[in-house]
Amino acid sequence: MIPGKYRSVSGRAANNVNCGLHLVIQTSSLPEKNKVEFKLNKDTSSFPGRLSQHDLERNYSSRQGDHINLVSSSLSSFPILQRSSEEKILYSDRLSLERQKLTVCPIINGEDHLRLLNFQHNFITRIQNISNLQKLISLDLYDNQIEEISGLSTLRCLRVLLLGKNRIKKISNLENLKSLDVLDLHGNQITKIENINHLCELRVLNLARNFLSHVDNLNGLDSLTELNLRHNQITFVRDVDNLPCLQHLFLSFNNISSFDSVSCLADSSSLSDITFDGNPIAQESWYKHTVLQNMMQLRQLDMKRITEEERRMASVLAKKEEEKKRESHKQSLLKEKKRLTINNVARQWDLQQQRVANIATDEDRKDSDSAQDPCQIDGSTLSAFPEETGPLDSGLNNALQGLSVIDTYLVEVDGDTLSLYGSGALESLDRNWSVQTAGMITTVSFTFIEFDEIVHVLPKLKIKFPNSLHLKFKETNLVMLQQFNALAQLRRIDQLTIDPQGNPVVNFTLWKYYVLFRLSHFSMQKINGTEVTQNDMIMAERLFGILAHVASSELPQYRLISILGDARKKQFRYLLESKGKKPGIINEENNDSKRPVGENTNRATLNYTTRDFYNEKLEEIKEKKKFCKTYIEDLVKEATEINMKNEALQKLWPQMFIELVRDAVIEIRNKNSYMKLCLQQITDQK
């Protein structure tokens, strides 16, 4: 048999090796003669001085194998090869034992000059008995049952090793084959590329149809020009950019799903032919133009020549893709910035609530136990607030370093919604908002802001965003129904959303009815996403109508007028004046005053004073009390002193009266002397 089964990529199967050798078999008209031609499919410079054309191209007049005998020996378990002298002369440097049903390698003696040896299509399980063939340059063991590469350490001249379609699980024992040019290991069970870094002259490597999941460890293969990795399970590729001579890379039918997993290919300057067909990446719309844009040196893609028009289109599409990528990165950056800022605002909010709770706890302890150390703090109330993290790429990490400790509030306009996070965001209402943006805002959301702070900016909200109809509150410390009274100062509210998180007021059963009653002049449509019905309005009036009447009737007139606005004051005065007039007599000029203006008078008496304002008033009242107390004390002190003086005078008066009478009697006892004395005093005064 002739060793003629070496085929290129287009030979044995579409996925087999381009081993670099072609065999052309031409059968002459004479059935007993064949013409056999071996030809090395590579540059003539690949084997300089080692393999001449004369060695590889010969014509033979008879069919090799006709005179080969395998003789069993009693001294050995291996068959012994015997060839006729004619066979040795005609085929002195080659031997084919193809399809001989061999289970072991026979002993080959007296054939030390062999250069080409073919064991294709047998059942050999182990490579052995060929260590004496030290001039061998080609060994073909395709389609056998070999499980381990072995027995090759003495074949230092071996250039072509074909071990396709065996049962090999590991690449090993190739240390001495430093001259190897073609290595075919397709159709085995190899899971890892290893132990080939020393093959610096290897030109063709075929690892198709194995169990490879990744490609790496290719350093040192400086002569490799063709790498076949078809039909594996490869998900990523590395080290290919370190192959300076690689021209053809076949990656068809693997599990490559993104260009990032094969990005090293873009750095290969020698690669001109590559295949990705049969991979998930080849199904993507951006596949072709991404590959062409990143691998400008390619001449063929998926076995098709690349045209200049395709390169131009790829460049245009790649630019658009890059713009989309930048925009996506920008949006991701903004989204992550928003997340980190909200996390930071949430931490600040939690710390603030914790401090308030600790202060309240300390005050309660002081009241309950005056002997307790006032500086002592219960450590059990302290809690940690770990920073929320998520998977980020390195670019986002670099862009967002330190952001979470810098931004303490966030203002976001998303369509028709204005979202405010943190108390610092309330300052944004003082900005010069454009008319278009301000008019577009219909929903305002407050998060991590004290409701009492929000109350102060409600007048600004009414002016800045006249079309705002929907208010949302989350983590705003809405704790009592009276706080809803503050919303009455707005121009209009159609929807109100109170998130249960951070707003204990929603735990009250009747809070929605109170809102509907107090803000009835807004004719609200939804509360927490639920439609408001006429029955809800009737129930709200029944529950809280009497409360409003009692509240307004118990207030003094001056106090009631101070609560109402100007328009309401006119209406209220008109109502008071009309009580004394006869029925049916109506002043025409008061017709406008009689008409309802905004909210009902009874409801208007239900107002809300913020904690800060209350504290300010409380301080003012304390100052007045202090002043009054001091003033009264001074008056009492002065009155006491006067009274004490009066009592002392009463005690001293009798004696004083006696002395006055005595002195007067003594002075007028001598009338002339007294007159002279008086005249003298008058003269002295002048």
Side-chain angles (χ1 to χ4, degrees), residues 158-169:
L158 196 65
R159 301 299 307 277
V160 178
L161 179 58
L162 307 178
L163 292 169
K165 201 175 179 182
N166 278 280
R167 300 176 182 178
I168 299 169
K169 297 180 180 180

Side-chain angles (χ1 to χ4, degrees), residues 116-132:
L116 306 176
L117 181 58
N118 180 8
F119 284 113
Q120 286 188 23
H121 305 294
N122 283 289
F123 304 99
I124 298 171
T125 59
R126 185 178 179 185
I127 305 172
Q128 52 192 350
N129 299 326
I130 61 173
S131 58
N132 59 316

Side-chain angles (χ1 to χ4, degrees), residues 325-340:
K325 187 176 180 180
R326 283 198 298 267
E327 183 63 25
S328 176
H329 179 78
K330 180 181 177 181
Q331 293 301 323
S332 299
L333 186 65
L334 292 175
K335 184 178 180 180
E336 189 59 22
K337 178 180 178 180
K338 174 185 174 181
R339 185 185 71 83
L340 291 177

